[in-house]
Amino acid sequence: MALGLRCFRLVHPAFCNSLAALTRPVSKVTMKTMSGRRNDHGQYVAHPAVPARHFATKKAKAKGKGQSQTRMNLNTALVEDIISLKDVDEEMKSVIEALKDNFNKTVNIRTSPGSLDHITVVTANGKLALNQIGQISMKSPQLILVNMASFPECTAAAIKAIRESGMNLNPEVEGTLIRVPIPKVTREHREMLVKLAKQNTNKAKDSLRKVRTNAMNKLKKSKDKTSEDTIRLIEKQISQMADDIVAELDRHLAMKTKELLG
């Protein structure tokens, strides 16, 4: 009997600890044993393990934040019966080409005779390019001449078109000869050209939005015979294409601004 009581006293503390552990939450039950170490009663001493919580480092957060969203890359052939993404892409890219052409003709520090060619003149026979009704030549680096002898009746309309071209030109007329002085390259003139470049870029973005809207409207007509998931994927592809064009337009504007301001 005495031997049994002695054994119970030795076992009792460990038994109580084990029973208490079973009644605790799992997060608090995790134990670790100090290997080869005993207390005065010859028992192994158990210590609750400290719960480990892992936090994302600033470096990891920055890396995750900088990752770009997954880009769409639909096979155009698979959706050709719904909408021609190739045609949409060509229309969008034509906006870039139109802006580049506009920059070359109207947003230059030095004006050349060719910069007036694109100016549209409203005549009794409809809209015509200035170089179709007038002979354009460069008399000096500071003066362009437009000879309207072949279409004298269009002289007034040509003067109006030149003034409203957005090129900051103030033509003067002598009979059927239009004299177009070229503005001096001042800081104010450079800043005016930058402003004009921004206006032209915004107009290009408006044209791009029209292309995108037309594509989306065409896509809506196919909703009855195409799954919603497919429509959603195509819409995302079109939006992605438009975003790429906007980025390209902004890039050309930045290049032109740098060129103009020196």
Side-chain angles (χ1 to χ4, degrees), residues 82-229:
I82 302 173
I83 188 172
S84 175
L85 291 178
K86 182 179 179 181
D87 290 345
V88 175
D89 183 58
E90 290 178 353
E91 284 188 69
M92 288 185 175
K93 288 181 178 178
S94 68
V95 174
I96 297 177
E97 296 304 318
L99 180 66
K100 290 166 61 177
D101 186 58
N102 183 282
F103 280 172
N104 291 332
K105 290 180 177 179
T106 67
V107 191
N108 287 311
I109 296 177
R110 297 293 181 183
T111 305
S112 63
S115 63
L116 303 184
D117 290 350
H118 75 288
I119 294 178
T120 302
V121 182
V122 180
T123 70
N125 297 323
K127 295 181 178 181
L128 298 173
L130 181 60
N131 63 352
Q132 291 181 305
I133 58 177
Q135 184 179 356
I136 305 173
S137 60
M138 197 93 177
K139 184 174 182 179
S140 71
Q142 287 76 41
L143 182 64
I144 295 178
L145 299 179
V146 183
N147 192 331
M148 300 294 296
S150 299
F151 295 88
E153 69 278 9
C154 297
T155 302
I159 293 174
K160 181 181 179 182
I162 295 172
R163 284 177 177 165
E164 297 177 354
S165 64
M167 298 175 65
N168 193 33
L169 300 175
N170 188 25
E172 302 170 354
V173 62
E174 294 179 1
T176 58
L177 185 65
I178 301 174
R179 300 167 61 87
V180 186
I182 300 173
K184 294 181 179 179
V185 184
T186 62
R187 182 68 183 181
E188 290 74 15
H189 181 60
R190 290 174 183 271
E191 291 176 351
M192 184 278 299
L193 290 176
V194 170
K195 184 178 180 180
L196 179 60
K198 290 179 179 178
Q199 292 174 350
N200 292 340
T201 302
N202 289 333
K203 289 180 181 179
K205 290 181 180 180
D206 288 338
S207 299
L208 177 63
R209 277 191 286 270
K210 290 179 181 179
V211 174
R212 180 184 180 277
T213 299
N214 291 337
M216 292 297 189
N217 290 337
K218 185 175 182 180
L219 190 59
K220 289 179 181 178
K221 296 179 181 179
S222 303
K223 285 189 174 181
D224 295 338
K225 56 182 179 179
T226 308
S227 68
E228 292 183 4
D229 290 341

Side-chain angles (χ1 to χ4, degrees), residues 245-258:
I245 298 299
V246 169
E248 189 69 10
L249 293 174
D250 288 337
R251 187 179 72 84
H252 283 290
L253 174 60
M255 292 172 57
K256 176 57 69 171
T257 300
K258 183 178 180 180

Side-chain angles (χ1 to χ4, degrees), residues 25-44:
V26 175
S27 60
K28 296 181 180 180
V29 172
T30 308
M31 311 291 283
K32 64 180 181 179
T33 303
M34 302 299 291
S35 177
R37 187 174 179 180
R38 302 185 181 188
N39 62 9
D40 294 338
H41 299 288
Q43 299 167 308
Y44 284 100

